[in-house]
Amino acid sequence: MGEQPIFTTRAHVFQIDPITKKNWVPASKQAVTVSYFYDVTRNTYRIISVDGAKVIINSTITPNMTFTKTSQKFGQWADSRANTVFGLGFSSEQQLTKFADKFQEVKTAAKLARDKSQDKIETSSNHSQESGCETPSSTQASSVNGTDDEKASHASPADIHLKSENNKLKIALTQSAANVKKWEIELQTLRESNARLTTALQESAASVEQWRRQCCICRDENDRLRNKLDKLEEQSSVISREKEKNFQLKRRIEDLESELREKETELKDLRKQSEIIPQLMSECEYVSEKLEAAERDNQNLEDKVLSLRSDIEESKYRQRHLKVELKSFLEVLDGKIDDLHDFRRGLSKLGTDN
């Protein structure tokens, strides 16, 4: 309950093969969450990663640990307590750099916490030694002053308090000696684990060299495959152009087939029309006969019109001639009428004279 996450990222988790100590074994099928946890109660730091319900990393960080970048996106560290080497594969170099910086920061904090705890142990050990030095003098004093019962009857409250403090310091000294032995055993275990991890790291470095050679071989193979892929792409482009030509030819064939179907339809229509051509020809002959008859009638009518026009011209000429003759007759008639008037006036004058 006292642990709190202080940094979280995502990565692919690997562990060194415990048998060969060379190959990496994937601990997760996909990228999982990897977090730094700080235990406030114990003042310790841990790296924890969980895949579903399975804990794949539970590594307590100590000042002796080192995080090593083996590539641009991969890093590893050795855990002597778990007796294994953990590897993390990140999606980018920035994530690897952040994780490595956080590892160094947590490692420094763990070292400071260990130094503080050692200072406390040394302080308590010094107090225990001082109390141990004071104990013989008090024993000597008790032997001089008399028996314990006599001293208890004659001792002051300050002496009783010093006795109780002395007893507490003896117990603390015993516990610190036991802790020192336990820490010496743990230190020896850590040294042995460190030696094993050093061997594993050396083997890992050898395997890294082997991986580098394999990587060079893979790069050469990759270049060869790329060249082959380029050739295949060129062939594919030629094939794609041929496919495009075939597609255009198919389109052209389909268009020609559609035109052929249209022409066949037109031919069928023409054949149907050719079946009614004799009837049309007979009708055409009948119409042409009628047309000829009409033309003859038209010619007759034109002749009649011409004769009528000549008659009209002649009648017009006669009318003009008659108009001229009528005009001359009217003029003569007017002269005769004038003469008749003159004659009447002469008659009337003669009658008047008579």
Side-chain angles (χ1 to χ4, degrees), residues 72-117:
Q72 292 182 351
K73 297 181 181 180
F74 192 85
Q76 65 182 35
W77 78 96
D79 190 345
S80 59
R81 294 185 180 181
N83 195 18
T84 186
V85 179
F86 292 103
L88 296 179
F90 296 89
S91 61
S92 64
E93 186 177 0
Q94 290 79 9
Q95 291 183 353
L96 173 61
T97 303
K98 289 181 181 179
F99 189 88
D101 294 340
K102 196 66 181 179
F103 192 96
Q104 186 65 30
E105 179 184 343
V106 170
K107 175 183 173 181
T108 305
K111 184 177 181 181
L112 292 174
R114 186 188 66 176
D115 294 340
K116 287 182 181 179
S117 63

Side-chain angles (χ1 to χ4, degrees), residues 60-79:
T60 302
I61 300 175
T62 62
N64 298 324
M65 288 184 178
T66 302
F67 185 82
T68 306
K69 295 181 182 179
T70 58
S71 67
Q72 292 182 351
K73 297 181 181 180
F74 192 85
Q76 65 182 35
W77 78 96
D79 190 345

Side-chain angles (χ1 to χ4, degrees), residues 232-242:
L232 290 174
E233 285 179 353
E234 291 177 359
Q235 294 177 1
S236 176
S237 62
V238 173
I239 292 171
S240 63
R241 287 195 295 271
E242 292 296 330

Side-chain angles (χ1 to χ4, degrees), residues 287-304:
V287 171
S288 62
E289 290 176 359
K290 283 188 174 182
L291 183 60
E292 289 177 358
E295 286 179 353
R296 288 193 297 271
D297 293 338
N298 189 16
Q299 187 65 34
N300 294 327
L301 290 173
E302 286 181 354
D303 294 338
K304 288 180 180 181

Side-chain angles (χ1 to χ4, degrees), residues 50-245:
V50 180
D51 187 7
K54 180 183 176 183
V55 179
I56 55 179
I57 298 179
N58 185 6
S59 177
T60 302
I61 300 175
T62 62
N64 298 324
M65 288 184 178
T66 302
F67 185 82
T68 306
K69 295 181 182 179
T70 58
S71 67
Q72 292 182 351
K73 297 181 181 180
F74 192 85
Q76 65 182 35
W77 78 96
D79 190 345
S80 59
R81 294 185 180 181
N83 195 18
T84 186
V85 179
F86 292 103
L88 296 179
F90 296 89
S91 61
S92 64
E93 186 177 0
Q94 290 79 9
Q95 291 183 353
L96 173 61
T97 303
K98 289 181 181 179
F99 189 88
D101 294 340
K102 196 66 181 179
F103 192 96
Q104 186 65 30
E105 179 184 343
V106 170
K107 175 183 173 181
T108 305
K111 184 177 181 181
L112 292 174
R114 186 188 66 176
D115 294 340
K116 287 182 181 179
S117 63
Q118 287 180 355
D119 292 340
K120 288 182 180 179
I121 292 170
E122 290 176 358
T123 304
S124 62
S125 178
N126 292 331
H127 285 303
S128 300
Q129 290 176 1
E130 290 175 359
S131 62
C133 293
E134 290 174 358
T135 302
S137 63
S138 62
T139 306
Q140 184 179 3
S142 63
S143 64
V144 172
N145 292 329
T147 62
D148 293 338
D149 293 335
E150 291 175 354
K151 189 177 78 171
S153 60
H154 297 287
S156 64
D159 294 335
I160 294 170
H161 179 69
L162 287 173
K163 271 189 175 184
S164 63
E165 290 293 330
N166 190 13
N167 292 328
K168 289 180 182 179
L169 290 173
K170 283 181 181 180
I171 294 169
L173 180 61
T174 304
Q175 291 179 352
S176 64
N179 288 331
V180 167
K181 289 181 180 180
K182 183 175 71 173
W183 289 332
E184 286 178 352
I185 294 170
E186 186 174 355
L187 180 60
Q188 185 64 27
T189 304
L190 290 174
R191 286 176 179 173
E192 292 175 357
S193 299
N194 192 15
R196 289 196 299 270
L197 289 173
T198 303
T199 305
L201 187 60
Q202 292 174 355
E203 292 176 354
S204 176
S207 63
V208 166
E209 186 64 28
Q210 183 180 359
W211 292 339
R212 285 179 180 174
R213 290 194 296 270
Q214 291 180 357
C215 183
C216 292
I217 295 170
C218 290
R219 283 179 182 174
D220 296 335
E221 184 69 17
N222 189 16
D223 293 336
R224 187 178 64 81
L225 291 174
R226 281 183 179 175
N227 294 328
K228 190 174 180 180
L229 181 62
D230 293 335
K231 293 180 181 178
L232 290 174
E233 285 179 353
E234 291 177 359
Q235 294 177 1
S236 176
S237 62
V238 173
I239 292 171
S240 63
R241 287 195 295 271
E242 292 296 330
K243 286 182 178 180
E244 184 67 24
K245 288 181 180 178

